Amino acid sequence: MASGARQRLEALATRIRACRHCAEAPAPLPHAPRPVLRVSPTARLLVASQAPGNLVNQTGIPFNDPSGERLRDWMGVDRDTFYDVSRVAIVPMGFCFPGNDAAGGDLPPRPECRKLWHDALFEAMPQIETVLAIGRYAQTYHFARLGHALPKSAGVSQTVAGWRAFQGGKPLIFPLPHPSWRNTGWLKKNPWFEAEVLPALRAEVARLVGKPGKAP
């Protein structure tokens, strides 16, 4: 990436991290904004997630929780590789923790992030070769962005089950369920995910980032 493009990406990321739009929105965040993302001009793998959880909001480190441990196991990488921003970009659909619903679960990602930032951010990272689209919000956005809009009726299970149909595109998209403990039952009911999807996922991740803890 040319130095001018690199500087534009860095400037955009700085503006995102300084964003306080949702502190003054009609329905403000229940806490001070703390945008969390990791981007670079060299990362070829993108982890496109939903939104930070409460623990991530406290630490500022994406996937610094049990969901992250499960995701890294799915990918076949260690923490050092996962957090090497030169190889792995992490961009949630909502940059800040959205708060909890009445049942104690996380609220959906705030739509303001997508409207304000996402299109420009991904235009600034044309080197991305593979997108791990985690959950419905990330899948809806990234498939549409790359010209493969999903049917409105398509749920996460259906999209993940059809993963092979998305392997020929550039960038390639791997649709994944969220690695939250809440999906443990789903994983038990769908053993094909571990048997069929994970080996292909790990091979693609290894192609892009190399073996755990080693430069590609």
Side-chain angles (χ1 to χ4, degrees):
M1 181 179 288
S3 60
R6 181 187 300 265
Q7 292 173 359
R8 285 192 292 273
L9 174 60
E10 292 174 352
L12 180 57
T14 297
R15 290 169 57 202
I16 292 171
R17 292 188 179 100
C19 180
R20 297 296 180 268
H21 177 84
C22 288
E24 302 174 356
L29 287 169
H31 54 80
R34 187 177 190 179
V36 176
L37 73 158
R38 296 174 65 86
V39 296
S40 78
T42 58
R44 296 189 293 158
L45 178 65
L46 168 65
V47 176
S49 53
Q50 299 283 86
N54 185 44
L55 182 58
V56 174
N57 180 61
Q58 296 175 31
T59 64
I61 303 172
F63 285 103
N64 187 32
D65 53 22
S67 293
E69 293 298 323
R70 174 175 275 175
L71 177 60
R72 287 185 282 276
D73 177 66
W74 286 357
M75 295 169 63
V77 299
D78 58 16
R79 284 182 65 92
D80 288 343
T81 303
F82 185 77
Y83 290 118
D84 182 350
V85 72
S86 71
R87 293 188 278 179
V88 181
I90 304 173
V91 181
M93 291 307 301
F95 293 119
C96 295
F97 171 51
N100 297 117
D101 59 23
D106 292 352
L107 289 168
R110 295 287 295 234
E112 293 92 338
C113 299
R114 175 183 55 78
K115 295 175 182 178
L116 289 171
W117 303 114
H118 279 68
D119 290 351
L121 184 58
F122 293 116
E123 286 176 6
M125 290 195 294
Q127 83 283 355
I128 295 295
E129 295 184 24
T130 297
V131 178
L132 308 188
I134 300 172
R136 180 168 62 88
Y137 292 94
Q139 290 162 13
T140 297
Y141 172 77
H142 284 283
F143 276 108
R145 178 177 71 86
L146 296 172
H148 307 288
L150 296 171
K152 292 184 178 180
S153 60
V156 171
S157 294
Q158 178 183 347
T159 303
V160 174
W163 66 277
R164 287 189 179 88
F166 312 127
Q167 299 302 290
K170 293 184 179 181
L172 180 154
I173 303 180
F174 258 103
L176 300 174
H178 197 282
S180 166
W181 62 269
R182 294 175 181 271
N183 279 335
T184 297
W186 184 93
L187 295 170
K188 291 181 178 179
K189 293 177 181 178
N190 295 278
W192 53 266
F193 178 76
E194 182 174 356
E196 301 173 16
V197 179
L198 292 190
L201 172 65
R202 289 167 180 160
E204 178 64 7
V205 170
R207 181 184 75 84
L208 295 172
V209 306
K211 295 181 180 180
K214 296 182 180 180

